Amino acid sequence: MILIACLLFTLPWFGYNYVLEMEKLLRQGQEQTLIGTTRAVATALNERPNLFSAQASFLRSVEKGRDLYAYELSTPITLDGELNDWADYDGQLLDYGSDYIQFSRLPYNSNTLTFRHVVGKYDGYLYAAFDVTDPRLVYRRKDSSRVDRNDHLIIGMTSPKGEFHRYAIAPYESGWINAWQIVDDGDTTIPLSQDHLVLESKIHGFWRATDKGYNVELRIPLDMLGNKLGFAFYDVNSRTNRDIDTIIGTSNTSRANKLGTILVPSPEIEQILKGIGHTSSRIWVIDRHQRVLAQTGNIQQSNGVWSSSVKYGDNNDSWWAKLEESVLHPLYYRYLLSEPQPFHDDLKDAAKVDGVHIIQALKGRGYSYWRQSDDGKAVILAAAYPIWLDNKVMGAVVAEESTVGIQTLKNRAMEKLLNAMLAIIIVGTLTLFLFASKISGRIRRLRDEAEQAIDSQGRICQAITPLKQHDEIGDLSRSMADMVNRLGQYNHYLENLSSRLSHELRTPVAVVRSSLENLSMHNLDAESERYIDRAQEGVQRLSTILSSMTEATRIEQSLQSADKETFPFNELVEGCMHGYQLAYPEQAFSVKTTKTMIHGAPDHLAQLLDKLIANSVDFSESGTPVEVTLSKLQRTAFLTIRNTGPLLPDEMAGQLLNSMVSVREQENKGKPHLGLGLYIARLITEFHEGRITITNRQDKRGVEVIIALPCQGEE
């Protein structure tokens, strides 16, 4: 029976381990499949230089804030200067301040000019948003031909052919704005007057004044834009001299080689990714600086290839299917299994991605690894493979999938396993129940015979009939029958034992009694008297010990019936101290008190002082006083007793107030110390709703006892 039960318990364990091994194999298969996906996409992008920006790809490094990234916008931007359309990208706005100063006539102050900036791409246009902080907004004068004598924005960029152009935006007021191309023939020192400006109608936007400065939204056609772009805000704070005080920008806009790069997600690569048509993975294409060139797929639906292996919604109207749906599955998923949960996608709309797999791919090796989602609700598989151009790594293909499909498949397997285990356990339980019922019936019959074999006085009434079955219960019945037979024989022996002992011990008892009577009739010598005196001393010592041991009990009983009254505690302390000076003439005392009224039992508080003063005197060094101080703080009285002498051992901290605890060395054998004095002091303190602490003094010269008791206010 035990063997059968053990086998039943091992079946779920073997089944569970089998499902876990299956999950490992499925994960390995998903990993190999995803690496194959990245390899296939990378193969489609290899040796295609037109897909990558040569200037951006061969940069030594990407500088944050200087090199810009255009996010793929999901909706077009309304040019109204409100920045509401950029709410989803608020976390992507970069701050530009002291680290991005191009010029400052005076020491820079962050309260003068700062801005936040982001760019995005939608339907052939580059959109830019600026949230500028400028407490002194100076507009262009309507009668002025100059655009550089006021707050203005300079845009520097290269065309697709590599030509360098600059544009100025200097509005007269809040509202719609257009850009003016600066025609300076390479001389950036000439004044920006109307003679050097040509209207560029393709670049326009909106300039809106705000409480802290102004907002700017721009739209630039992508066919005008190369791979370099920079924005610079020129700040004028005086409406009188209108000199430029500060220039802050993403980069220096005066020369093409000083501009930062602009990376716009590649539409050609996006078309290639869409043409591949992978729906079970999220795929990125990144450049060698880990910036995203194109992206397709949604990680929330990227469940892996195994998700298609899961069959949902089988039309089964059997009673077992209904039982599973209504009873078993809710139990499984409440206590044993977990459904895949929606998880947070921390890399959604990311401009730059990183990870060990990407680092390895940019070194020329395909790599994959597992990671958890940002909220820990899902496991994500990521793989990367390099993209080659002329034996150089130009970027990488990165693919990600969640394990939701594998987890769902594992859950379905676990459901089937649990169903099978449940059926086996039910059948096994019924079989064992019938088997156990038969066995328990035989055991009950044996128990009844055993109870009837012996009466309440222990006499054997009847024998046990041994069973003929050759199993454990039959062996037990035969053993019990033999045992009852032997007990009957031993019981008969005991019934006759008392009469035998009475007969045998009668003579020795008579001899002892007569000897004691004869001894009491003789006179005792001096030696016997000495032993008697020693015995009396022992009895006296025992009486002292018993009295000390019962003292705590008497105190507890007396405290239960003690009456409290309001009295001046300082007078009680002073009166007791006068008595202690007479009781301990060789000990010096120092007493300081403050008028304090408390509600308590004076006799017990006096007994408390007796115990504490006796302790302090015993442990004080010769020639040093025992200091007693009574002070009051708000509605609490503090009684402090300090002595100079040995310190408390560290291991005894917090134990001295317990019963039968003492640190005395017991040199005086005639006066036993059971460690009850401080225990009694604690009982009296707690009766008065106070607290007592015993610690070493801060100067490490002795010990101090502090008793805090509630006191009455001034009358």
Side-chain angles (χ1 to χ4, degrees), residues 371-671:
R371 67 176 178 87
Q372 282 194 330
S373 61
D374 188 45
D375 53 8
K377 293 183 178 180
V379 178
I380 296 174
L381 171 62
Y385 204 83
I387 300 173
W388 296 91
L389 178 63
D390 296 332
N391 294 324
K392 293 182 180 180
V393 177
M394 298 298 294
V397 176
V398 183
E400 287 188 341
E401 292 178 355
S402 71
T403 57
V404 172
I406 290 180
Q407 186 178 359
T408 305
L409 189 61
K410 178 185 120 179
N411 287 346
R412 299 297 179 265
M414 287 296 294
E415 290 173 11
K416 296 181 181 295
L417 173 66
L418 291 172
N419 291 340
M421 291 301 104
L422 183 61
I424 293 174
I425 290 174
I426 291 175
V427 174
T429 301
L430 291 175
T431 303
L432 291 175
F433 177 76
L434 296 175
F435 181 65
S437 298
K438 183 179 179 181
I439 292 177
S440 62
R442 296 171 60 193
I443 293 176
R444 281 194 298 270
R445 288 193 297 270
L446 182 59
R447 179 204 62 189
D448 295 339
E449 288 186 4
E451 290 178 349
Q452 296 171 4
I454 303 175
D455 62 9
S456 58
Q457 284 77 32
R459 292 190 298 266
I460 304 299
C461 298
Q462 64 183 31
I464 295 178
T465 303
L467 300 177
K468 296 181 180 180
Q469 287 85 350
H470 296 284
D471 56 6
E472 289 83 356
I473 299 178
D475 291 340
L476 178 61
S477 67
R478 290 187 288 273
S479 298
M480 292 184 66
D482 183 57
M483 178 187 67
V484 169
N485 185 36
R486 284 181 284 156
L487 283 175
Q489 297 174 4
Y490 183 67
N491 193 29
H492 178 72
Y493 168 76
L494 291 178
E495 289 175 352
N496 298 323
L497 181 62
S498 60
S499 60
R500 294 176 183 177
L501 287 177
S502 176
H503 176 73
E504 295 294 336
L505 293 177
R506 186 178 293 112
T507 301
V509 170
V511 172
V512 172
R513 184 182 295 113
S514 62
S515 298
L516 290 174
E517 290 175 354
N518 291 333
L519 181 62
S520 63
M521 297 173 63
H522 290 79
N523 294 326
L524 299 177
D525 55 12
E527 186 70 15
S528 299
E529 291 290 344
R530 185 166 61 86
Y531 286 121
I532 292 175
D533 293 340
R534 187 176 300 172
Q536 290 176 346
E537 292 177 0
V539 171
Q540 181 63 30
R541 185 176 179 86
L542 288 174
S543 300
T544 303
I545 293 174
L546 291 175
S547 299
S548 298
M549 293 179 63
T550 58
E551 183 181 3
T553 303
R554 293 197 303 270
I555 286 294
E556 292 179 358
Q557 295 174 350
S558 62
L559 286 175
Q560 293 177 359
S561 59
D563 296 328
K564 292 184 179 181
E565 61 180 270
T566 302
F567 66 95
F569 187 40
N570 57 301
E571 295 181 3
L572 174 65
V573 174
E574 293 169 357
C576 290
M577 293 307 301
H578 286 304
Y580 300 145
Q581 289 174 352
L582 297 176
Y584 305 102
E586 297 180 357
Q587 176 65 51
F589 293 94
S590 173
V591 184
K592 295 181 181 178
T593 63
T594 302
K595 182 179 180 181
T596 306
M597 302 295 294
I598 69 171
H599 187 69
D603 294 340
H604 290 299
L605 290 174
Q607 190 174 7
L608 166 68
L609 282 171
D610 292 344
K611 299 294 183 183
L612 298 179
I613 294 297
N615 245 26
S616 297
V617 171
D618 289 345
F619 285 97
S620 292
E621 294 180 355
S622 178
T624 60
V626 174
E627 302 174 6
V628 179
T629 305
L630 176 62
S631 60
K632 183 173 64 173
L633 180 62
Q634 296 180 352
R635 301 185 69 86
T636 303
F638 294 93
L639 177 63
T640 305
I641 301 175
R642 311 175 72 197
N643 70 281
T644 302
L647 300 177
L648 294 176
D650 294 337
E651 64 273 10
M652 297 301 295
Q655 300 183 23
L656 289 177
L657 297 174
N658 296 330
S659 177
M660 306 297 288
V661 177
S662 176
V663 295
R664 300 177 187 266
E665 298 180 356
Q666 293 291 351
E667 295 180 355
N668 185 4
K669 300 298 183 182
K671 185 180 179 182

